[in-house]
Amino acid sequence: MSCYIMQDDILLPHLTVLESMMVSANLHLRESLSQEDKEGIIQEILLNLGLTDTANTRLSEISGGQRKRLAIALELVNNPPLIFLDEPTSGLDSSSAYQCISLMRTLAHSGRTVVCTIHQPSAKLFEMFDKLFVLAEGNCLYHGTVQDLLPYFSSEGFVCPKYHNPADFIIEVASGEYGDNMIPSLVKAWKAREESMTQKRSLTNSTSCSYDSRNMVVSLLPNCNVKTSTDSIIDAASQTTQFMVLFKRAAQSVLRDRVFTHLRFVSIASVGLLIGLLYHGIGNDGNKVFNNTGCLFFSLLFLMFTSLMPTVLTFPMEKLVFIREHLNNWYSLKSYYLAKTMADVPFQILLPVIYCSIVYFMTDQPSEGLRYTKFLSITILTCLVAQSIGLLIGTVAPSLPTAVYVAPVTGIPVLLFSGFFVNFDTIPKYMQWLTYVSYARYSWEGTVCAIYGNKRGPLECKNKRCIFTNSEDVLSAMDVEENALYLEGAKIYFDGFVLFLFFVALRLAAYWVLRYKVKSYR
């Protein structure tokens, strides 16, 4: 029945105008409607709002006025009879502001009720409103037609100077520039006037659409029962349709993001080659075990932060888009969250595959398919957990700067208790429990077991003196017990299972926090 268009036009920047409109159409219009019919409805809306020329332009490249009109167009697909707007002219130049208000007036005169707040409009814009509601300190000073505004204030002793913008004059009065003690008297005068006017008015009945001064709206609704051509084709999309539409949109946004997708692929490959050259051929050398374990730990650290930080930087903005769309009844929280999760997973798998394939073979790790698979699986699970932590931080944090600061800080204790820097026995007993809640511990243990566990056998010793002659000595030095649950070689599977539990738990935690956020906005 209604939609709310916020002051800030928060839109996904990597989609085009037409693609954004298609998302809205697929979520709002009946599923049985053909693609051609949906495109026809979209083209009609874009034509009416003057957005046809920018249909194939990405949202990051359109102007402020076009963004505002697009925000309105996205909600018009559902053809709501009541439209709320918060400061529709904020940040717009005079030409764009005039186009926006002209559009609002056209929508109101075509049978919709348009309610909006506006601060300091020009005289030209001010005259375009049909009904006005003036507030001062939370109290009503006036509501009625714009034409009756100045005569009423003149009758109360406030005369607008000639060639002065009436809107500026009213703001000056309401802000107390003519005396703070005058506002209570104006409020009292209006209440007295309303009481006398109410006695003369007949109550609005079911067959009348005449204006009732008690309706505190800036609007015009000429017809009581407005029926448009889209009334019969509007229907809520199913959960499956919502998921498919949102999954496609999320995948498009990720693929087109040059900074956090294209740059990540380049950096992953570049750093992988750098590490491969730096640690070239040391994987089977018994004298270079510490160098090799440092290489393995750095790889985990690098992949963790390349998964964590992009989510921390992008999700706070996506969260605002979700809240706006969800509260305007575009889709359910479950559909959005599942689509978001499924769209992220392929990239969290592909990036570790690229990095691990380069580093593993350049550093001459054991040429066994099973070991490579185990090593890759642990790194993928680590990336999924780190990305889930980024999602949780982005959901909890009230702002982007807060999220950017908190993310690395929370990673420090996780790494400290991983077992690489300090062995378990060295940690004070009253702090040892922290190692069990550090997912990096299971990532590190699983990586060491994948490379040196499962009876790997003796290591090469090019010098006469060899620091480590076999893999069991390496596990002992790293304080890693390969056996778990008394099963030989089961440690890595146990670590992988725990990492998967971390992934599920963190995803569920982020879901419930996001659900709480939505309820708080309601």
Side-chain angles (χ1 to χ4, degrees):
M1 292 298 296
S2 67
C3 68
Y4 171 46
I5 300 171
M6 300 179 180
Q7 179 177 351
D8 298 324
D9 306 315
I10 304 171
L11 303 168
L12 296 178
H14 304 297
L15 300 181
T16 65
V17 171
L18 184 59
E19 288 170 344
S20 299
M21 290 295 294
M22 282 303 303
V23 170
S24 179
N26 289 328
L27 292 173
H28 285 120
L29 302 181
R30 197 174 63 233
E31 296 181 29
S32 59
L33 204 65
S34 66
Q35 194 74 3
E36 290 75 15
D37 291 336
K38 291 180 181 179
E39 291 177 356
I41 294 172
I42 291 172
Q43 291 298 336
E44 182 179 355
I45 295 174
L46 294 179
L47 180 63
N48 292 333
L49 272 63
L51 293 171
T52 304
D53 294 338
T54 60
N56 296 315
T57 306
R58 292 192 183 183
L59 304 190
S60 59
E61 301 172 359
I62 61 178
S63 66
Q66 291 168 339
R67 290 175 65 88
K68 181 66 68 176
R69 280 179 280 160
L70 176 60
I72 298 170
L74 292 172
E75 301 298 338
L76 288 183
V77 172
N78 198 31
N79 194 31
L82 181 58
I83 303 174
F84 294 94
L85 298 103
D86 181 17
E87 288 288 334
T89 59
S90 292
L92 303 183
D93 56 46
S94 57
S95 176
S96 299
Y98 179 76
Q99 291 177 351
C100 182
I101 298 301
S102 298
L103 172 61
M104 296 297 97
R105 184 177 176 87
T106 301
L107 293 175
H109 288 198
S110 65
R112 298 176 181 87
T113 300
V114 180
V115 184
C116 71
T117 60
I118 190 154
H119 290 170
Q120 291 186 303
S122 65
K124 189 176 183 180
L125 295 183
F126 191 63
E127 293 174 353
M128 298 175 69
F129 287 96
D130 301 301
K131 296 293 187 296
L132 183 68
F133 188 79
V134 182
L135 287 170
E137 299 177 356
N139 297 302
C140 176
L141 297 185
Y142 171 85
H143 63 89
T145 63
V146 174
Q147 292 75 17
D148 294 337
L149 175 67
L150 293 182
Y152 169 72
F153 274 89
S154 297
S155 67
E156 296 295 328
F158 295 91
V159 180
C160 180
K162 291 184 178 180
Y163 311 110
H164 197 74
N165 183 356
D168 291 339
F169 171 71
I170 296 304
I171 290 176
E172 292 169 2
V173 174
S175 60
E177 293 188 17
Y178 289 85
D180 293 336
N181 59 336
M182 299 303 297
I183 295 177
S185 62
L186 286 173
V187 173
K188 185 177 180 180
W190 180 256
K191 288 182 178 179
R193 184 177 185 273
E194 282 292 277
E195 290 175 0
S196 62
M197 290 292 291
T198 303
Q199 296 175 359
K200 300 177 182 179
R201 288 197 186 113
S202 60
L203 298 176
T204 304
N205 55 45
S206 60
T207 60
S208 173
C209 287
S210 61
Y211 172 72
D212 185 343
S213 66
R214 295 171 299 171
N215 295 334
M216 307 176 196
V217 296
V218 185
S219 64
L220 180 66
L221 182 55
N223 303 312
C224 284
N225 298 312
V226 178
K227 186 175 179 63
T228 65
S229 58
T230 59
D231 285 342
S232 60
I233 58 178
I234 296 173
D235 193 11
S238 65
Q239 294 286 331
T240 303
T241 301
Q242 291 178 12
F243 168 78
M244 296 302 298
V245 172
L246 295 173
F247 176 81
K248 180 181 178 182
R249 184 178 72 170
Q252 284 179 323
S253 297
V254 174
L255 286 172
R256 294 177 183 176
D257 193 333
R258 295 180 180 178
V259 176
F260 294 116
T261 300
H262 300 179
L263 184 60
R264 257 200 299 177
F265 276 101
V266 173
S267 63
I268 284 286
S270 301
V271 174
L273 288 172
L274 177 63
I275 296 300
L277 292 172
L278 183 63
Y279 294 97
H280 186 266
I282 68 170
N284 201 39
D285 193 337
N287 286 319
K288 297 180 180 178
V289 167
F290 290 116
N291 292 330
N292 192 41
T293 54
C295 169
L296 297 175
F297 187 81
F298 174 82
S299 298
L300 286 176
L301 181 64
F302 175 67
L303 291 173
M304 280 169 51
F305 279 98
T306 53
S307 300
L308 173 70
M309 293 309 298
T311 305
V312 170
L313 292 169
T314 58
F315 189 69
M317 187 273 289
E318 293 182 23
K319 178 178 64 176
L320 298 177
V321 175
F322 156 74
I323 289 173
R324 173 180 62 81
E325 294 175 344
H326 177 68
L327 294 182
N328 278 331
N329 296 313
W330 284 38
Y331 46 75
S332 68
L333 172 58
K334 293 178 182 179
S335 298
Y336 167 79
Y337 198 74
L338 183 60
K340 172 69 178 173
T341 299
M342 297 304 295
D344 287 335
V345 168
F347 296 95
Q348 301 305 326
I349 294 176
L350 182 58
L351 292 171
V353 168
I354 295 173
Y355 180 86
C356 293
S357 299
I358 296 173
V359 172
Y360 190 90
F361 295 105
M362 288 189 68
T363 56
D364 196 23
Q365 304 300 333
S367 300
E368 300 176 25
L370 183 60
R371 289 188 185 274
Y372 170 74
T373 302
K374 290 179 179 179
F375 174 69
L376 181 60
S377 300
I378 292 295
T379 55
I380 289 174
L381 287 170
T382 301
C383 289
L384 290 173
V385 173
Q387 197 263 346
S388 300
I389 291 177
L391 189 65
L392 180 59
I393 293 174
T395 305
V396 174
S399 63
L400 178 59
T402 304
V404 172
Y405 174 76
V406 169
V409 172
T410 56
I412 298 302
V414 170
L415 295 174
L416 283 177
F417 291 97
S418 64
F420 177 78
F421 297 104
V422 183
N423 289 341
F424 183 79
D425 294 335
T426 308
I427 300 174
K429 291 185 178 181
Y430 61 87
M431 298 182 68
Q432 288 181 354
W433 64 272
L434 291 171
T435 62
Y436 296 103
V437 295
S438 170
Y439 73 93
R441 170 188 173 173
Y442 303 98
S443 301
W444 171 239
E445 288 183 349
T447 301
V448 173
C449 289
I451 300 299
Y452 291 102
N454 198 22
K455 299 180 180 179
R456 173 176 169 174
L459 302 176
E460 293 181 0
C461 290
K462 298 179 181 179
N463 300 327
K464 292 182 179 179
R465 182 183 178 185
C466 192
I467 300 176
F468 294 98
T469 57
N470 57 72
S471 58
E472 287 77 9
D473 295 337
V474 177
L475 294 176
S476 179
M478 295 294 110
D479 196 20
V480 175
E481 178 62 43
E482 188 179 9
N483 298 337
L485 305 179
Y486 306 101
L487 297 176
E488 183 69 25
K491 180 63 176 176
I492 187 171
Y493 300 104
F494 175 77
D495 291 330
F497 177 71
V498 173
L499 287 173
F500 179 76
L501 290 182
F502 267 103
F503 168 68
V504 173
L506 289 168
R507 286 283 171 168
L508 290 176
Y511 172 82
W512 286 107
V513 171
L514 195 57
R515 185 175 180 179
Y516 172 78
K517 290 274 187 180
V518 170
K519 288 185 177 180
S520 64
Y521 272 93
R522 288 185 187 276

